[in-house]
Amino acid sequence: MNIVEEIIYPVLQEFKETEGLDIELSPELVIFGDGSEFDSLTLVRFIIGIQEQILDLTDKTVVLATPQAMSRSKSPFRNVTTLAEYIEELFAEAE
Amino acid sequence: MDKKVTLITGTSKGIGKELVHYYVNKGHIVVGCSRSPIDWQLDGYTHHLADVSNEKEVLQIFKQIKKDYGRLDHLINNAGIASMNHTLLTPLATVEQILKTNFVGTFLFSREAAKLMQKNKYGRIVNFSTVAVPLKLEGEAIYAASKAAIVSLTNIMAKEYAELGITVNAIGPNPILTDLIKGVPQEKMKALINAHAIKRYGTFKDVINVINFFLKEESDFITSQVVYLGGL
């Protein structure tokens, strides 16, 4: 499964359209931290959206914002690429 | 779809069952759950067997609601258990069971409901607290503590969900003649009733009146409130 194309981009596209976010979909798009277009509530809703997209496509219940993830020195939510790598990691752990 | 979708927990008997009948008659699509099977049926009502503190079972209910209706308008967190005992005599297992059903259940349902409700930027969550919280009733330490936690949860979720168009309020019923208080001595109940401004038992109608107020579309400026019946 292409995590960026099938999971992350569709959710970002939906947010772009419904929330009017001024973003260009790219692997480097900043999601969390300096340079992000997401305010805190939009970020929470985006994470919920990603979890839901994963559930819809794979029937897997994944929790993204775990204490372990939040305490990493390099946030997995930094940009599209780091988020995709993190989701891949969670999929591998679940197998 | 014009019909409101209303989810109620703890619907096998008592207030929960009354609420199901009331909101189905009002034209809502009602979904409910309980740990034990129900011995009644109602058109417009779908029942799930689930323990409200079991995350997997709770997620399954929401998955089904999303599939069937694509949205949720109201959540009434009615499921609750009580156990009257002196703290010196209260087993840990009782504490864990009360916290799980009353607090964890309310948390899980509210979290999942808000995920669905935020899509439409609309939702009403009504939680159940109790007059045992402000009255600090002896013999009800664990029950009251679990319901005090629900007040905190209500207040904070109200803030967290405000921007999502979701209101979160709680009702604190005074004693109502249900199974929950059937083991409490008459004298204790009398003393409890006398502590209220209006000295009578509560009724289902009283509870429904407050819940209706919280659920109204016009109540979009009413959040983080706890209404104690009978006046405290």
Side-chain angles (χ1 to χ4, degrees), chain B residues 76-225:
Chain B
I76 304 172
N77 276 310
N78 163 73
I81 54 171
S83 177
M84 318 303 175
N85 209 341
H86 196 288
T87 49
L88 288 173
L89 302 174
T90 304
L92 178 62
T94 304
V95 177
E96 288 173 341
Q97 194 52 51
I98 291 176
L99 291 177
K100 272 173 117 179
T101 303
N102 295 359
F103 177 71
V104 175
T106 299
F107 162 72
L108 278 178
F109 271 84
S110 301
R111 185 189 71 187
E112 294 307 311
K115 284 182 190 174
L116 256 181
M117 290 169 173
Q118 56 99 21
K119 287 173 180 262
N120 293 326
K121 293 263 173 98
Y122 181 87
R124 303 276 182 264
I125 297 175
V126 180
N127 295 328
F128 269 69
S129 187
T130 169
V131 294
V133 174
L135 288 174
K136 301 174 177 60
L137 295 176
E138 291 161 74
E140 296 196 17
I142 311 307
Y143 175 64
S146 72
K147 294 292 191 174
I150 287 175
V151 172
S152 295
L153 192 68
T154 300
N155 297 149
I156 294 172
M157 285 192 308
K159 285 186 176 178
E160 290 186 345
Y161 300 165
E163 277 189 65
L164 304 173
I166 302 167
T167 65
V168 190
N169 294 287
I171 177 169
N174 69 330
I176 294 170
L177 292 167
T178 63
D179 283 354
L180 206 65
I181 58 163
K182 67 182 175 191
V184 184
Q186 280 287 324
E187 288 166 36
K188 288 265 182 199
M189 292 313 303
K190 206 171 170 187
L192 180 51
I193 296 286
N194 282 335
H196 291 75
I198 303 170
K199 300 176 199 326
R200 68 163 170 84
Y201 280 97
T203 65
F204 292 122
K205 259 176 76 181
D206 298 318
V207 173
I208 282 168
N209 181 42
V210 175
I211 294 177
N212 266 340
F213 170 65
F214 287 147
L215 296 190
K216 277 168 71 173
E217 284 188 13
E218 297 87 336
S219 294
D220 58 353
F221 203 43
I222 310 294
T223 196
S224 194
Q225 303 301 306

Side-chain angles (χ1 to χ4, degrees), chain A residues 53 55 66:
Chain A
Q53 180 76 352
L55 182 65
T66 61

Side-chain angles (χ1 to χ4, degrees), chain A residues 3 22-23 25-26 28 32-33 35 42 45 47-48 50 55 58 62 64 70-71 75-77 81 93:
Chain A
I3 292 173
D22 186 19
I23 53 173
L25 307 195
S26 78
E28 296 79 33
F32 175 68
T42 310
R45 297 181 61 227
I47 292 171
I48 293 169
I50 293 286
L55 182 65
T58 68
V62 169
L64 293 173
M70 304 310 270
S71 60
S75 171
F77 304 104
T81 302
E93 276 172 20

